[in-house]
């Protein structure tokens, strides 16, 4: 049976223009029951709907903002920002190192795909962890989450912005695409297409963090989400996302788009499963791999390509 996340089913947008589409509660309940998940079906059946059975969009927006707010607190406790910068800082150092050799000119533009409440972008803006000359942009198809992210950024007087829409349709080209917890939402051919779209863009690199597909991941997700998430939807989707995490092999294979060198940081064989919750798959233009490894120093030993992954202990 496929593992479905409730949030994917109750927030549906037109991928072409980001417009909100009506969602019938009974249809979502039917899909969840057919997937063998009666608990998720009961959660959706309790959500408010109108006379025609269409889920109340305002109630769904409030629920999603509440769940993402709790998710942000979890990210803070797991120090997700610091983990991301451990890889992003040397990546941006590599970009700057090539600036005089036909590399990018500042500002370097980081685009966070599926930014949600904008925790990563706002954290980077608040800490200035990537140094000067970096424009920070968060993009999401969920207008309610983008609105809340923008409100928080303005309240915190942060130098960043948020856009409602498709990250690949921005008028300004991204230098680096990033995301956290997005990859497992793409299934089958859509995962490879996600990477091909970035390879075909002017971007020089991508760095996408997602849940590490370890045996401990579902148990860890169950414990953390049970302890920290109050709404049943957040608890359910937190565990479902761990069950849907892609293997190292799947990520490297999908990221092998033309013109991109795919790399994985801390694959299963080189990481402590008790400490590894998220790990990134990277893609860089081939000329950036050497300066990236140089900027990472000894940590570059944990950065492997497909040919090295085949030789790591499983």
């Amino acid at each position: 049976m496929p593992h479905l996340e409730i949030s994917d089913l109750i927030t549906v947008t037109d991928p072409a223009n980001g417009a909100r589409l009506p969602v019938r509660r009974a249809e979502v309940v039917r899909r969840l029951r057919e997937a063998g998940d009666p608990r998720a079906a009961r959660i959706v059946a309790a959500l408010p709907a109108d006379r025609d059975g269409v889920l109340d969009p305002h109630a769904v927006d409030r629920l999603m903002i509440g769940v993402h707010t709790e998710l942000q607190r979890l990210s803070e406790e797991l120090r997700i920002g610091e983990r991301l910068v451990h890889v992003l800082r040397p990546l941006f150092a590599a970009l700057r190192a090539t600036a005089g050799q036909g590399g990018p000119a500042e500002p370097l533009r980081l685009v966070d795909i599926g930014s949600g409440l904008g925790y990563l972008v706002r954290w980077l803006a608040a800490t200035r962890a990537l140094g000067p000359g970096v424009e920070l942009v968060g993009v999401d198809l969920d207008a309610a989450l983008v609105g809340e992210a923008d409100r928080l950024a303005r309240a915190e007087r942060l130098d960043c912005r948020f856009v409602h829409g498709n990250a690949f349709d921005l008028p300004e080209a991204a230098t680096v695409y990033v995301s956290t917890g997005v990859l497992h939402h793409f299934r089958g051919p859509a995962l490879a297409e996600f990477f091909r779209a970035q390879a075909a863009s002017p971007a020089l690199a991508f760095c996408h963090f997602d849940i590490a597909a370890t045996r401990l991941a579902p148990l860890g997700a169950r414990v953390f989400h049970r302890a920290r998430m109050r709404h049943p939807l957040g608890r359910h989707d937190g565990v479902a996302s761990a069950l849907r995490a892609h293997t190292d092999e799947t990520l490297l294979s999908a990221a092998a788009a033309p013109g991109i060198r795919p790399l994985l940081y801390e694959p299963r064989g080189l990481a402590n499963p008790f400490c590894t919750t998220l790990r990134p798959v990277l893609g860089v233009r081939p000329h950036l791999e050497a300066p990236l490894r140089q900027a990472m120093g000894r940590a570059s030993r944990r950065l492997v390509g497909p040919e090295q992954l085949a030789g790591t202990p499983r």
Side-chain angles (χ1 to χ4, degrees), residues 164-253:
H164 172 224
N166 189 323
F168 302 129
D169 291 337
L170 295 177
E172 312 94 348
T175 310
V176 177
Y177 284 110
V178 302
S179 72
T180 53
V182 167
L183 293 181
H184 66 270
H185 291 282
F186 294 99
R187 316 306 299 178
L191 182 64
E193 180 54 36
F194 175 73
F195 289 117
R196 278 197 295 270
Q198 295 164 81
S201 78
L204 296 178
F206 57 73
C207 182
H208 298 292
F209 284 77
D210 206 356
I211 301 167
T214 67
R215 292 181 179 179
L216 293 175
L219 175 60
R222 188 179 302 278
V223 171
F224 277 107
H225 287 82
R226 167 87 36 195
R228 291 300 186 217
M229 307 291 277
R230 286 173 291 185
H231 197 280
L233 185 151
R235 293 178 174 179
H236 174 276
D237 281 9
V239 177
S241 62
L243 293 169
R244 302 175 81 197
H246 296 297
T247 66
D248 294 347
E249 293 80 5
T250 296
L251 287 178
L252 274 180
S253 175

Side-chain angles (χ1 to χ4, degrees), residues 7-203:
S7 54
D8 287 345
L9 303 178
I10 64 174
T11 56
V12 181
T13 57
D14 186 329
N17 55 26
R20 184 72 165 269
L21 299 177
V23 176
R24 292 192 174 280
R25 183 173 60 188
E27 175 63 16
V28 177
V29 169
R30 180 190 64 77
R31 289 187 61 183
L32 291 167
R33 285 175 176 163
E34 289 181 355
D37 196 341
R39 174 171 169 262
R42 289 194 295 273
I43 294 171
V44 174
L47 299 179
D50 64 16
R51 293 180 178 178
D52 296 324
V54 175
L55 288 173
D56 180 347
H58 301 296
V60 170
D61 286 347
R62 289 193 297 271
L63 173 59
M64 294 305 295
I65 289 174
V67 169
H68 278 75
T69 299
E70 292 185 331
L71 193 60
Q72 174 176 311
R73 188 166 63 244
L74 193 61
S75 297
E76 292 169 349
E77 292 177 350
L78 293 175
R79 303 178 69 86
I80 297 299
E82 287 89 340
R83 295 187 185 197
L84 305 189
V85 167
H86 179 68
V87 177
L88 288 179
R89 185 177 282 143
L91 176 58
F92 275 78
L95 291 168
R96 293 187 174 99
T98 61
Q101 307 163 32
E106 293 187 350
L108 305 174
R109 184 172 295 108
L110 177 146
V111 173
D112 183 12
I113 302 174
S115 54
L117 291 185
Y119 171 70
L120 172 61
V121 167
R122 289 189 289 111
W123 189 89
L124 291 172
T127 60
R128 301 180 182 179
L130 298 181
V134 178
E135 183 181 355
L136 302 169
V137 184
V139 185
D140 202 294
L141 288 171
D142 191 313
L145 295 180
V146 168
E148 183 65 5
D150 184 62
R151 185 190 70 80
L152 293 170
R154 284 187 283 109
E156 297 161 350
R157 299 184 179 182
L158 298 175
D159 185 14
C160 59
R161 62 189 174 96
F162 294 92
V163 178
H164 172 224
N166 189 323
F168 302 129
D169 291 337
L170 295 177
E172 312 94 348
T175 310
V176 177
Y177 284 110
V178 302
S179 72
T180 53
V182 167
L183 293 181
H184 66 270
H185 291 282
F186 294 99
R187 316 306 299 178
L191 182 64
E193 180 54 36
F194 175 73
F195 289 117
R196 278 197 295 270
Q198 295 164 81
S201 78

